């Protein structure tokens, strides 16, 4: 008897409107074996912001992960960025902006709630917010009900910490400010937050 053929499926991606940005898919294959996981990440063009998923995707969480159990059609909806939020970056990295839909989908004309997620460049780590935001929680939401200015501070990662991942997921690194705000580059305290991929759970630390 011959091997069972594993069914394969394709994914169709649409950006709405087409000038809003693009959708990056990983892994990028013409067909996906049944049961495989696909990760789709929106990349807005300048002056646009990702709003939500439609079609076989739903909600506004990014990236979107789909299990390929049939042919999929995913729409990424972008909207023109029309709120007055100025972001200044110190150090090296970028910030993902995401509009948080209001409960019940009602639009409150007097303010857009935006979720900001710092994305440090390799060799850098997110340190803290400044301007109209404080602290170092990520992601962070801000209500843009008037002109807002936010500073995102990244600092060079100068501590020797090697992270090995077993299974599938990533780790968020965050520098914890030392008491009194003094920085001891020599004995940096780092908070590690495991971020398992869908279908995986954090089991334990080692090393």
């Amino acid at each position: 008897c011959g091997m069972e053929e594993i069914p394969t499926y394709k994914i169709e991606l649409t950006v709405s409107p087409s000038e809003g940005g693009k959708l990056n898919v990983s892994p990028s294959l013409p067909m996906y074996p049944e049961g495989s996981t696909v990760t789709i990440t929106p990349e807005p063009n300048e002056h646009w912001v990702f709003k939500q998923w439609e079609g076989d995707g739903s909600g506004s969480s990014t990236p979107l992960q789909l299990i390929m159990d049939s042919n999929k059609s995913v729409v990424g909806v972008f909207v023109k960025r029309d709120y007055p939020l100025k972001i200044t970056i110190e150090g090296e990295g970028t910030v993902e902006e995401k509009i948080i839909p209001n409960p019940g989908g009602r639009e409150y004309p007097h303010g857009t709630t935006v979720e900001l997620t710092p994305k440090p460049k390799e060799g850098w780590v997110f340190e803290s917010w400044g301007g109209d935001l404080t602290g170092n929680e990520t992601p962070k939401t801000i209500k843009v009900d008037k002109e807002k200015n936010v500073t995102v501070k990244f600092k060079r990662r100068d501590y020797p910490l090697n992270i090995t991942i077993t299974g599938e997921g990533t780790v968020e690194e965050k520098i914890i400010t030392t008491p009194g705000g003094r920085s001891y580059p020599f004995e940096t305290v780092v908070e590690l937050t495991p971020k398992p991929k869908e279908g995986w759970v954090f089991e334990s630390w080692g090393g």
Side-chain angles (χ1 to χ4, degrees):
C1 56
M3 289 282 289
E4 272 300 301
E5 271 291 291
I6 294 183
T8 58
Y9 302 111
K10 65 178 193 298
I11 191 163
E12 183 194 357
L13 299 176
T14 311
V15 170
S16 169
S18 56
E19 68 269 26
K22 60 178 198 268
L23 298 176
N24 298 320
V25 62
S26 166
S28 180
L29 303 170
M31 301 292 287
Y32 295 89
E34 181 165 57
S36 56
T37 300
V38 179
T39 302
I40 307 163
T41 309
E43 195 180 294
N45 288 334
E46 199 181 357
H47 307 307
W48 290 80
V49 62
F50 175 71
K51 187 176 182 202
Q52 67 198 44
W53 302 105
E54 287 175 3
D56 289 317
S58 62
S60 65
S61 293
T62 61
L64 176 69
Q65 293 193 321
L66 286 181
I67 307 282
M68 296 302 289
D69 49 16
S70 63
N71 287 331
K72 300 284 185 189
S73 168
V74 171
V75 182
V77 180
F78 294 85
V79 290
K80 202 85 168 146
R81 183 188 185 293
D82 60 0
Y83 47 87
L85 172 62
K86 182 167 178 281
I87 293 180
T88 306
I89 298 208
E90 291 179 9
E92 305 220 355
T94 57
V95 174
E96 181 189 40
E97 290 175 53
K98 198 164 74 190
I99 291 175
I100 303 294
N102 295 306
R106 290 184 304 282
E107 284 298 316
Y108 300 111
H110 57 270
T112 303
T113 304
V114 181
E115 183 183 81
L116 301 177
T117 307
K119 307 272 182 185
K121 254 183 78 170
E122 199 174 340
W124 293 74
V125 63
F126 171 68
E127 187 181 26
S128 63
W129 303 103
D132 288 320
L133 284 181
T134 56
N136 66 354
E137 304 94 314
T138 62
K140 187 93 158 173
T141 54
I142 184 168
K143 189 166 168 127
V144 188
D145 45 9
K146 59 179 194 297
E147 196 164 308
K148 294 281 172 91
N149 294 285
V150 168
T151 306
V152 190
K153 298 172 189 168
F154 296 101
K155 75 176 261 182
R156 202 176 277 289
R157 181 189 184 294
D158 58 3
Y159 45 88
L161 171 64
N162 295 313
I163 293 178
T164 307
I165 292 185
T166 311
E168 301 211 11
T170 56
V171 172
E172 181 188 47
E173 292 176 51
K174 200 159 72 187
I175 290 175
I176 304 294
T177 336
T178 41
R182 289 185 304 285
S183 187
Y184 302 108
F186 182 65
E187 294 179 330
T188 308
V189 180
V190 183
E191 178 182 85
L192 301 177
T193 308
K195 307 272 186 184
K197 261 183 76 168
E198 200 167 332
W200 291 75
V201 293
F202 172 67
E203 187 187 35
S204 60
W205 301 105

